[in-house]
């Protein structure tokens, strides 16, 4: 049995929370540059330049990339040879508290959806746990902004709707979001499972590397076709028209019921911040 | 900077404002005020009950923002725009009381657009998610009303070359169409 001290866990998480908010992955920057090279008119080029300049300033001066430093979302994989003599959820929330306060990040969480009182420390985090073999703890973190999350959608299609049904639903979701989701966007799509599983698949898909392709050939083909269809919508950077609406599409699938075809689309804005640590 | 960026100084004159056209790139310099949902609600309440407003609206500009806290030594934290459509129910009353420039992100309602044209006001769109870059264009920040709203309080900002795009002009043109 291996243990990880609470202090170490909290300090490592605090570090990745602050780093995620201020440093955009090089992969995202490269995709933005590729998109810009394809644009021919003034506005999309101007907007992509602003986004690239912004992340450079954010990185160099450790200023949050975006003022919406989001809901703290975690995927936590726990090796079954690990032992914790403290409450892991409490420790993660403590790290969120520390990171958002010490990192001068914006606190955007309200206590109850209707009374809407700010919790002032960005807790509680949203944490998804799973078990893995071994004695390691893998934690992936993303601060997820409200603008793009608000434009995300889930639906239950019928098996007869099939592949084309999925593509149409995704394209309509993106068109409907327009500039509100801060394009260029990245899409996490979950197909199959059931009602809640599809949403979780979509969220986790957003944690994949941009260069990564789905292993299943059906999912991979869907990723390619959806990306192409979306970049033909002319939504463009910030919804002001152009070719660069979407930087990447990630499809994660799961087995499902004979009668069902659940589909969830989780939209990620260009401030695609995430960070991982293995302890 | 390329010469096709229009320089605007606040308060923006009628002449300069009426010349703006959808798609123009502008740089704003001077004083602008901040406000989001909660501050808008309070300002509209103040108007209906005849109380004084945090600032004189006449010819002024409001920017929809809720910045991250400033680090020691910083004027302001990350300060990009929030979605403007949530301010649609409040903006007409403010325009009737002299507000001429609104700055935020994304499309707004048809009702808002009609009121905007009636009041000969303009709506400027700022790229979302570039709050670090924008923080460099703010020289001074001061809370002038509703401090308990924290990042949503009304702030007076002194900005220089604050970048925006004309999204709705005084002629009823719409960049998102
Ligand atoms: S959608 Fe993303 S980039 Fe846009 S304001 Fe929200 S967090 Fe920032």
């Amino acid at each position: 049995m291996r243990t990880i001290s609470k202090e170490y866990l909290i300090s490592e998480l605090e570090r990745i929370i602050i780093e995620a908010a201020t440093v955009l992955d090089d992969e995202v920057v490269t995709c933005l540059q590729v998109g810009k090279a394809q644009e021919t008119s003034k506005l999309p080029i101007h907007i992509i330049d602003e986004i690239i300049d912004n992340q450079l300033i954010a990185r160099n001066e450790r200023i949050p990339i975006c003022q919406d430093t989001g809901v703290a979302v975690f995927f936590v994989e726990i090796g079954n040879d690990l032992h914790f003599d403290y409450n892991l959820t409490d420790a993660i929330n403590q790290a969120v508290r520390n990171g958002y306060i010490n990192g001068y990040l914006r606190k955007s969480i309200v206590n109850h959806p209707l009374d809407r009182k700010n919790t002032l420390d960005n807790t509680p985090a949203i944490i998804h746990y799973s078990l893995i073999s071994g004695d390691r703890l893998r934690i992936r973190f993303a601060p997820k902004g409200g603008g793009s999350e608000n434009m995300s959608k889930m639906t239950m299609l019928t098996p007869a709707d099939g592949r084309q049904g999925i593509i149409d639903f995704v394209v309509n979701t993106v068109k409907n979001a327009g500039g509100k989701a801060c394009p260029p966007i990245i899409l996490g799509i979950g197909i199959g499972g059931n009602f809640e599983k599809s949403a979780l698949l979509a969220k986790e898909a957003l944690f994949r590397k941009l260069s990564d392709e789905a292993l299943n050939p059906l999912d991979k083909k869907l990723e390619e076709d959806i990306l192409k269809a979306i970049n033909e919508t002319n939504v463009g950077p910030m919804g002001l028209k152009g070719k660069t609406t979407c930087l990447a599409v990630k499809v994660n699938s799961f087995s499902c019921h004979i009668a069902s075809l659940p589909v969830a689309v989780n939209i990620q804005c260009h401030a695609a911040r995430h960070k991982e640590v293995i302890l | 900077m390329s010469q096709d960026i229009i320089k605007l100084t606040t308060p923006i004159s009628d002449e300069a404002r009426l010349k703006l056209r959808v798609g123009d790139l502008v740089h704003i310099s001077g004083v602008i005020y901040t406000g989001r949902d909660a501050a808008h609600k309070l300002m509209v309440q103040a108007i209906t009950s005849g109380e004084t407003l945090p600032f004189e609206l006449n010819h002024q500009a409001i920017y929809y923002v809720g910045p991250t806290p400033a680090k020691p030594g910083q004027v302001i934290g990350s300060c990009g725009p929030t979605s403007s459509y949530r301010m649609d129910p409040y903006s007409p009353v403010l325009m009737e009381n002299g507000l001429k420039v609104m700055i935020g992100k994304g499309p707004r309602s048809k009702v808002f657009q009609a009121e905007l044209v009636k009041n000969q006001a303009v709506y400027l769109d700022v790229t979302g998610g570039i709050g670090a870059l924008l923080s460099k264009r703010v020289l001074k920040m001061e809370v002038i009303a509703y401090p308990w709203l924290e990042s949503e309080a009304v702030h007076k900002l002194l900005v220089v070359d604050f970048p925006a795009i004309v999204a709705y002009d005084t002629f009823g043109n719409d960049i998102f169409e």
Side-chain angles (χ1 to χ4, degrees), chain B residues 72-176:
Chain B
Q74 269 184 333
V75 174
I76 191 170
S78 192
C79 58
T82 192
S83 293
S84 305
Y85 68 93
R86 296 195 318 272
M87 269 45 84
D88 288 354
Y90 309 113
S91 299
V93 179
L94 302 186
M95 287 191 271
E96 277 159 26
N97 284 271
L99 182 71
K100 292 291 183 203
V101 183
M102 283 142 286
I103 310 166
K105 112 178 139 79
R108 313 189 61 169
S109 70
K110 289 285 168 218
V111 175
F112 170 84
Q113 291 183 50
E115 288 294 320
L116 185 99
V117 174
K118 201 171 96 192
N119 289 286
Q120 293 285 283
V122 289
Y123 169 55
L124 311 177
D125 189 63
V126 176
T127 299
I130 60 161
L133 181 154
L134 296 170
S135 74
K136 300 299 203 185
R137 311 290 172 93
V138 180
L139 304 182
K140 243 195 228 170
M141 172 172 86
E142 185 191 340
V143 177
I144 59 162
Y146 319 134
W148 62 89
L149 294 178
E150 304 268 338
S151 80
E152 295 202 45
V154 174
H155 296 78
K156 182 177 175 181
L157 305 183
L158 178 64
V159 299
V160 62
D161 289 339
F162 197 86
I165 301 166
V166 179
Y168 301 153
D169 57 27
T170 51
F171 301 88
N173 298 309
D174 175 354
I175 203 170
F176 303 101

Side-chain angles (χ1 to χ4, degrees), chain A residues 15-16 138-141 207 274-278:
Chain A
R15 178 180 66 76
I16 67 166
R138 179 183 185 217
I139 302 187
R140 290 173 293 164
F141 163 72
F207 283 72
H274 39 81
K275 208 84 224 158
E276 161 173 347
V277 66
I278 297 175

Side-chain angles (χ1 to χ4, degrees), chain A residues 66-68 145-148 180-182 268-271 273, chain B residues 81 105 128-129:
Chain A
C66 180
Q67 75 290 340
D68 185 352
S148 53
K180 290 193 191 117
C182 286
Q268 168 65 61
C269 56
H270 63 76
R273 300 154 284 183
Chain B
K105 112 178 139 79

Side-chain angles (χ1 to χ4, degrees), chain A residues 183-198:
Chain A
I185 53 173
I186 295 160
L187 289 178
I189 299 170
I191 55 173
N194 60 359
F195 179 73
E196 81 277 9
K197 178 75 180 176
S198 64

